[in-house]
Amino acid sequence: MDFDQILAKCGDFHRYQFMILALFGFINIIVSMHYFTQTVISFVPDHWCYHEKLVNMTYKEIAEIYTNPNITNPSCTRLDDIIGHNVTVSNKTCEKWIYNYDFGYRSMNTELNWVCDSAYKARVGQSLFFIGSVVGTLFYGLLSDKIGRVPALILSNFCGFAGDFSTIFTKSVATFTLCRFISGLAADTNFYLMYIIVLEYIRPSMRTLGLNMAVGLFYCMGLVVTPWLAVWAGHWKIYLACTSLPILLVTLYYFVVQESAQWLVTRNDIDGAIKRLKRVAKFNGCRVTQAEFDEFRRHCQITREMQGGDDKKHATLLDMFRTPRMRKNTLILFFKSMVITLCYDAVSRNVEGMGISPFVMFSLSALAVLPSSILLVLLQDRIGRKGMASGSLLVGGLFTAAAGIAIAYQQHNHNAILLACLTIAARFGVAISYESGSQYATELIPTCVRGQGVAAVHVAGFAASFLAPYILWLGTFFKAAPSIILGVLFFAGSFVCLLLPETLNRTLPTTIEEGEVFGKGERMFDFPCLKHHDDDDDDDDSELEKYKRKHSLIDAKQQVESGQYNKRKQSLIDADREEQALKDAKH
């Protein structure tokens, strides 16, 4: 009896699964706020260099004065004198500004005057956030495979709280960048560790529905609410307090979320795995006999002996590169993550300078997340993981290219509504790619290195996201350049996804050996939606199924042999008793 079979008896889509999906939803809300905190606290409204004659003017009048052709940069040009609409430009550096606060919200950049020549200071903090995310993802990924998913999840979220809350008290670039680095340590482990836990405890056929709807509904909710929470708070420090304090509630997960039983099995802690499964069964109200748990224990022991027994060292991230097929799949996952994260970050953060309030633009683009999740639920279990990953990258590339070309042809007269629609469409394509890619990578990486493997995949994505501001910067020379570059990356990612094996309705690999044979013999354009029902039998003959079946047959053989031995032994005892009874009868 393997893990999926014993989990089905304990309940694989019951009360416990509904509870962890709800807790995963809460994680999605706080993660959405945490990840885009830097964007919200750095919003820069329309601003002009301060002059005493501008104080009593309306913002419209100030804007008209700065339309003077002698003023090349209205936001950063200091004026010597103002007579009507005639102005004299000063050579001095601007030291004070007049801000047209959007919805009355005072951001960190406006309070500390990190604009114009000082605008780089906020960008340095953003860079340190990404550096922290690379370090944290690697560290907590390794830690999750050492001490468990739940403790690593709690520690990473606590880092996010510490970084965001301490940012409130920063006033210099040095302390600000340090706080953003600490905050970055939590991204993206504060999300994907809970994602792994839910994936491993839920029925395979319900993973797409449960995971993607939780992400779509709650992550979308968090993104839509985030800018308006800032507007309600009115000040960036109050906003940070409101978004960071709820993170502390994740510490309570230690008491309600069970450690990954599959991970415990890979650590040879079968007793610990059975202990967690019993708790799940009790919570779900399912009755599982001790004999069934013993059968699962016997399966785990036989599988371990076939793989080298207790003397075999635990698998590490490097083991994913030792065999050819695992190495190829891992490198493809790395490249796919780099493409998706880079494009997702570039599209999501590009909400300013479009003629619409960044608060409104942020919320509108966030609305694309829920429809993308619904589309995933409807199509992913029909098309398959490979088809959805490749297709969504292709669609994302088309949307991104279309948005860029439209912007290129509207260099001077921007149509705000058109730009908003195209940006939302681009966000829709990227969101589909991001969500489908997360599930695909988690299912494809073997359980024994899932924490480290998924961490490494996310690190590759965050490393690539460093290029996002530079790609966008190329637009100052040629408006269509960012779109062309991102489009080419999307199309390249779409192609390499076709080289990965399908995971839909397949028993997922738990060891490196199983990961090497998983999907062996599968062709590039093998999609579940294109197969006939007559081909279902062929699917059962995949290399991993043969590998699993071999272990099951050995397990069954030992049970049969053990049963035949006991039966023979009992028959000999009964024969001796009958013989002794005949002797007694003769006497």
Side-chain angles (χ1 to χ4, degrees):
M1 182 180 293
D2 62 17
F3 181 81
D4 288 341
Q5 292 171 328
I6 190 66
L7 180 62
K9 293 182 178 296
C10 297
D12 54 8
F13 200 67
H14 212 277
R15 288 196 293 263
Y16 179 75
Q17 283 70 29
F18 297 152
M19 182 192 72
I20 59 175
L21 280 171
L23 296 176
F24 181 52
F26 176 73
I27 288 285
N28 274 274
I29 292 175
I30 63 174
V31 164
S32 64
M33 294 181 177
H34 172 261
Y35 187 76
F36 289 102
T37 288
Q38 180 69 35
T39 302
V40 175
I41 67 174
S42 302
F43 278 159
V44 179
D46 292 334
H47 57 286
W48 306 271
C49 195
Y50 176 83
H51 193 281
E52 59 272 9
K53 291 187 178 181
L54 299 175
V55 174
N56 295 322
M57 294 185 180
T58 64
Y59 294 122
K60 184 178 181 179
E61 291 172 340
I62 295 173
E64 289 178 355
I65 289 175
Y66 272 93
T67 57
N68 191 298
N70 295 325
I71 301 176
T72 55
N73 188 354
S75 299
C76 306
T77 301
R78 186 168 180 174
L79 303 179
D80 262 343
D81 196 14
I82 303 174
I83 303 175
H85 285 281
N86 297 320
V87 298
T88 305
V89 178
S90 173
N91 294 325
K92 296 181 180 179
T93 304
C94 190
E95 298 176 351
K96 190 176 180 181
W97 287 264
I98 297 173
Y99 295 101
N100 182 13
Y101 295 107
D102 203 358
F103 292 100
Y105 172 69
R106 296 175 180 267
S107 68
M108 177 195 66
N109 286 39
T110 59
E111 182 175 300
L112 302 178
N113 287 325
W114 285 359
V115 294
C116 296
D117 293 339
S118 299
Y120 75 92
K121 296 178 181 179
R123 296 192 184 100
V124 171
Q126 184 63 39
S127 298
L128 266 291
F129 179 90
F130 282 119
I131 293 174
S133 68
V134 171
V135 176
T137 303
L138 280 175
F139 174 73
Y140 287 115
L142 293 170
L143 192 66
S144 70
D145 282 338
K146 292 291 184 182
I147 66 173
R149 319 291 196 214
V150 177
L153 172 71
I154 294 172
L155 290 174
S156 66
N157 274 279
F158 185 79
C159 256
F161 159 76
D164 282 355
F165 194 75
S166 59
T167 302
I168 296 173
F169 306 100
T170 60
K171 293 184 178 180
S172 65
V173 179
T175 54
F176 174 70
T177 52
L178 176 61
C179 292
R180 298 321 296 159
F181 174 81
I182 296 173
S183 177
L185 291 173
D188 194 40
T189 47
N190 55 355
F191 166 81
Y192 79 76
L193 287 178
M194 188 64 185
Y195 188 98
I196 291 175
I197 292 172
V198 176
L199 181 140
E200 293 179 346
Y201 271 115
I202 200 169
R203 185 188 307 164
S205 61
M206 300 304 296
R207 285 171 184 161
T208 297
L209 174 64
L211 289 169
N212 288 295
M213 286 309 298
V215 172
L217 183 61
F218 293 100
Y219 195 79
C220 178
M221 184 189 304
L223 289 178
V224 172
V225 169
T226 290
W228 305 111
L229 178 61
V231 170
W232 174 80
H235 196 279
W236 67 279
K237 291 185 178 181
I238 300 175
Y239 165 77
L240 276 179
C242 292
T243 57
S244 59
L245 288 173
I247 300 177
L248 292 175
L249 294 175
V250 178
T251 56
L252 300 177
Y253 282 29
Y254 182 82
F255 303 102
V256 293
V257 177
Q258 300 302 317
E259 184 54 80
S260 167
Q262 281 192 345
W263 172 78
L264 290 169
V265 170
T266 64
R267 307 298 292 183
N268 296 330
D269 186 5
I270 302 174
D271 290 334
I274 291 176
K275 181 179 179 181
R276 270 68 178 187
L277 288 169
K278 286 183 176 179
R279 290 176 180 174
V280 172
K282 182 178 180 181
F283 193 91
N284 286 335
C286 299
R287 297 182 62 183
V288 185
T289 64
Q290 186 59 43
E292 290 171 321
F293 282 119
D294 291 339
E295 188 178 348
F296 170 67
R297 182 195 303 275
R298 197 157 46 244
H299 169 80
C300 295
Q301 291 172 341
I302 292 171
T303 303
R304 184 177 62 186
E305 290 171 3
M306 290 294 297
Q307 295 167 356
D310 295 329
D311 296 332
K312 184 176 180 179
K313 66 182 182 68
H314 295 300
T316 64
L317 180 64
L318 294 178
D319 291 321
M320 296 175 65
F321 295 91
R322 297 191 191 281
T323 53
R325 297 193 71 259
M326 275 295 298
R327 181 166 55 248
K328 181 198 74 173
N329 292 342
T330 302
L331 292 175
I332 291 175
L333 289 175
F334 278 14
F335 179 74
K336 181 169 69 70
S337 177
M338 293 169 69
V339 169
I340 293 174
T341 308
L342 172 61
C343 296
Y344 184 84
D345 195 74
V347 173
S348 300
R349 297 182 187 277
N350 189 26
V351 295
E352 297 185 72
M354 293 189 178
I356 301 178
S357 165
F359 296 95
V360 176
M361 192 67 238
F362 193 96
S363 292
L364 288 176
S365 62
L367 290 174
V369 175
L370 182 57
S372 67
S373 296
I374 295 174
L375 190 65
L376 276 176
V377 171
L378 295 175
L379 297 181
Q380 186 158 261
D381 282 347
R382 297 182 181 182
I383 298 175
R385 312 294 193 250
K386 179 168 67 173
M388 200 66 194
S390 179
S392 60
L393 284 169
L394 179 63
V395 172
L398 294 173
F399 277 140
T400 304
I405 293 171
I407 293 173
Y409 281 98
Q410 291 184 341
Q411 297 184 22
H412 303 292
N413 298 317
H414 286 171
N415 186 322
I417 297 177
L418 177 62
L419 287 181
C421 292
L422 291 174
T423 301
I424 293 170
R427 179 71 177 270
F428 177 75
V430 174
I432 294 175
S433 305
Y434 196 86
E435 291 182 45
S436 63
S438 297
Q439 183 174 348
Y440 199 10
T442 306
E443 291 181 344
L444 200 54
I445 296 174
T447 306
C448 60
V449 289
R450 187 164 287 158
Q452 303 173 51
V454 174
V457 169
H458 282 254
V459 164
F462 280 122
S465 64
F466 285 121
L467 299 174
Y470 299 102
I471 291 176
L472 295 176
W473 175 70
L474 292 176
T476 58
F477 302 98
F478 178 52
K479 288 290 185 181
S483 305
I484 293 173
I485 295 172
L486 295 177
V488 170
L489 289 173
F490 263 122
F491 298 143
S494 176
F495 171 75
V496 297
C497 279
L498 297 174
L499 304 177
L500 291 172
E502 180 57 62
T503 61
L504 177 63
N505 296 329
R506 301 282 180 83
T507 302
L508 301 182
T510 57
T511 65
I512 294 295
E513 291 80 5
E514 293 177 4
E516 175 63 17
V517 300
F518 185 81
K520 192 172 183 179
E522 187 176 310
R523 292 167 297 183
M524 181 183 292
F525 295 102
D526 281 348
F527 301 118
C529 59
L530 300 180
K531 290 187 177 181
H532 300 290
H533 294 292
D534 297 338
D535 297 333
D536 292 342
D537 295 335
D538 296 335
D539 293 340
D540 295 334
D541 292 330
S542 66
E543 294 296 327
L544 181 57
E545 293 301 327
K546 292 177 182 178
Y547 186 88
K548 292 274 190 180
R549 194 182 302 121
K550 178 181 176 182
H551 285 200
S552 298
L553 288 173
I554 293 171
D555 193 0
K557 182 179 178 182
Q558 292 197 3
Q559 292 181 39
V560 170
E561 290 176 349
S562 176
Q564 289 177 344
Y565 171 77
N566 291 332
K567 186 176 180 181
R568 177 62 176 166
K569 182 178 179 181
Q570 187 62 42
S571 65
L572 291 173
I573 293 173
D574 293 340
D576 289 340
R577 288 177 178 173
E578 290 178 2
E579 185 178 352
Q580 186 64 38
L582 289 173
K583 290 180 180 179
D584 292 340
K586 289 179 180 179
H587 289 298

